[in-house]
Structures are given as C-alpha cells and as structure tokens.
Amino acid sequence: NAGVMQNPRHLVRRRGQEARLRCSPMKGHSHVYWYRQLPEEGLKFMVYLQKENIIDESGMPKERFSAEFPKEGPSILRIQQVVRGDSAAYFCASSRPRGSKETQYFGPGTRLLVL
Amino acid sequence: DQQVKQNSPSLSVQEGRISILNCDYTNSMFDYFLWYKKYPAEGPTFLISISSIKDKNEDGRFTVFLNKSAKHLSLHIVPSQPGDSAVYFCAASSEGADGLTFGKGTHLIIQP
C-alpha cells in the first residue's frame, strides 16, 4: 500500500548540470502533479500530467524545465542547465482520474541544491 | 499576488486546548479547499477538505469551517496534541484549474 514515491530525496548539482527528479504515483492513481517550494514559501503548481500527456503546464518556467509521464515508468521532472535559483524542494502529488474534486496526495519531495 | 493567504506565520497553543488556524482567499472562483499538514523534510499530508457547497466538515479532532461571503476558512483542532506541531497549509482549487493554490503556511507549536 505504498504512497507516492519520489527519488532521489536529496540531489546536489553544480550550476550548468542537469537534474532529473522521479515520481511514482500511488497505486490506482493515473494523474501526477509537480509543485515547487522555495524557502519560506508555499507550494507552487508547475505541471499536471496523465500517462503520455501533459495536460496543464501553466506553472512551468518557459525554459530549461520539462516533464513527462511515459506509458511505463515514473514521471520525470527534468531541469537543464541548473542555476542557484532552482534550489528548492520539488514535490510530486498524484490523484485518481478527475471527474469531481479528487484529493492530491503528496510524496516526500526531492530537495535540490545547486552549488 | 497571493490568492490564498495565511497571515499568521506561527501559532503557539497549549496541549489540550483548541488550535484555530485561519486562511483567507481572494479568488471567488475557488470552490474546493483543503488543509495539509507538513513535518520537516516530509511531504504535505492531506488532513481535511471542504466543498464550497458546505460550510462545515468534521473529521475526528479536525473541523474546517468555510465562510464564503467573507472568503475565509478556518481549521479547528481540538484537543491539541504534541504530535500536531507542524506547518499547516491551506490550499484551494477551482473548476477548470488543475493545480492547487497554496498559502505560505502556519507553523503550529503545541506547548506541553
């Protein structure tokens, strides 16, 4: 009865490197959301995906950030050419298919530190 | 531009008393509200939610009240226990929007 899984839990990158964050949704959930939390801030929505489909990426920065949720395997949030301002906690959430309001359940997060 | 505001960064309450956490919102399109609890180095844990068609929802020690005319909701925890010490986030969603909009959180400290 595993919850939302995220790995790695901590990631250190130097400026200019790439960061890949992975998220496996809860069993029975087919919808994935990514959020970013900067220090002393609330969580900010980035992107919403179903399998093989990006549904809403209105919160994603226009450059360097991309997300995917392939037919097999976890969802990936990819940050290219990281900068210090990318240092944050990145949380993934999952939910059941949305007909009415479905609660989003969160993973433990990946803490990215850019040196 | 904060659409969901939690104006108290921290709140200290004595064990056994009632904790009241407040949240205000500005977007009248929000129709579903949630409270999450978060411990350090963990992800937010869902606590309780309320739809805009209701004004109260209760689950054990937790009750959420919604005042739509004031665009205000509150979370009541009674009695407060030491394990309730955490950061509490208020979140909201609207029809047609996929992501939740979060407040900045209130750090609740339960004193023995």
Side-chain angles (χ1 to χ4, degrees):
Chain A
N1 194 19
V4 179
M5 312 270 285
Q6 287 188 251
N7 67 81
R9 295 289 304 272
H10 300 273
L11 183 60
V12 180
R13 285 287 178 265
R14 297 193 180 280
R15 281 179 294 170
Q17 291 184 319
E18 178 179 287
R20 281 188 180 234
L21 288 63
R22 288 176 290 278
C23 169
S24 297
M26 281 177 73
K27 188 175 181 180
H29 288 190
S30 55
H31 294 220
V32 165
Y33 312 76
W34 285 94
Y35 291 80
R36 175 166 65 175
Q37 184 186 23
L38 296 170
E40 309 302 322
E41 296 287 322
L43 283 73
K44 295 279 195 284
F45 168 73
M46 299 179 76
V47 62
Y48 162 48
L49 309 103
Q50 298 173 24
K51 287 278 187 184
E52 300 183 284
N53 256 325
I54 296 175
I55 306 302
D56 179 355
E57 54 182 349
S58 57
M60 286 279 268
K62 297 296 178 210
E63 297 176 348
R64 304 187 297 107
F65 284 72
S66 62
E68 62 176 8
F69 190 13
K71 189 176 179 182
E72 301 291 336
S75 174
I76 307 279
L77 179 68
R78 182 179 176 210
I79 312 172
Q80 294 178 288
Q81 299 174 326
V82 296
V83 300
R84 288 220 173 107
D86 297 333
S87 295
Y90 291 82
F91 293 98
C92 168
S94 72
S95 73
R96 292 182 299 182
R98 297 185 69 207
S100 57
K101 296 299 180 185
E102 288 293 341
T103 298
Q104 296 178 24
Y105 294 89
F106 284 82
T110 295
R111 276 128 192 102
L112 172 65
L113 176 63
V114 180
L115 300 176
Chain B
D1 180 27
Q2 282 279 110
Q3 296 187 61
V4 176
K5 298 178 186 178
Q6 294 178 257
N7 291 319
S8 299
S10 66
L11 174 67
S12 185
V13 174
Q14 207 159 19
E15 182 180 355
R17 302 282 187 124
I18 183 171
S19 296
I20 300 176
L21 296 101
N22 293 303
C23 178
D24 297 293
Y25 61 97
T26 58
N27 187 342
S28 56
M29 300 301 290
F30 287 146
D31 61 357
Y32 189 58
F33 304 89
L34 309 91
W35 284 94
Y36 286 86
K37 171 181 176 180
K38 186 180 179 302
Y39 293 119
E42 294 185 12
T45 302
F46 170 71
L47 271 179
I48 193 168
S49 62
I50 188 166
S51 165
S52 60
I53 62 174
K54 294 186 175 182
D55 54 20
K56 177 183 174 182
N57 189 23
E58 191 172 350
D59 183 2
R61 295 186 300 114
F62 302 93
T63 303
V64 56
F65 295 92
L66 175 62
N67 182 335
K68 280 183 295 185
S69 60
K71 293 192 177 71
H72 176 83
L73 63 155
S74 60
L75 174 68
H76 293 212
I77 307 172
V78 55
S80 300
Q81 298 174 354
D84 296 331
S85 294
V87 177
Y88 288 78
F89 289 99
C90 172
S93 72
S94 57
E95 192 65 41
D98 299 303
L100 297 173
T101 302
F102 280 82
K104 291 189 177 185
T106 296
H107 185 193
L108 176 64
I109 302 160
I110 304 301
Q111 309 240 338

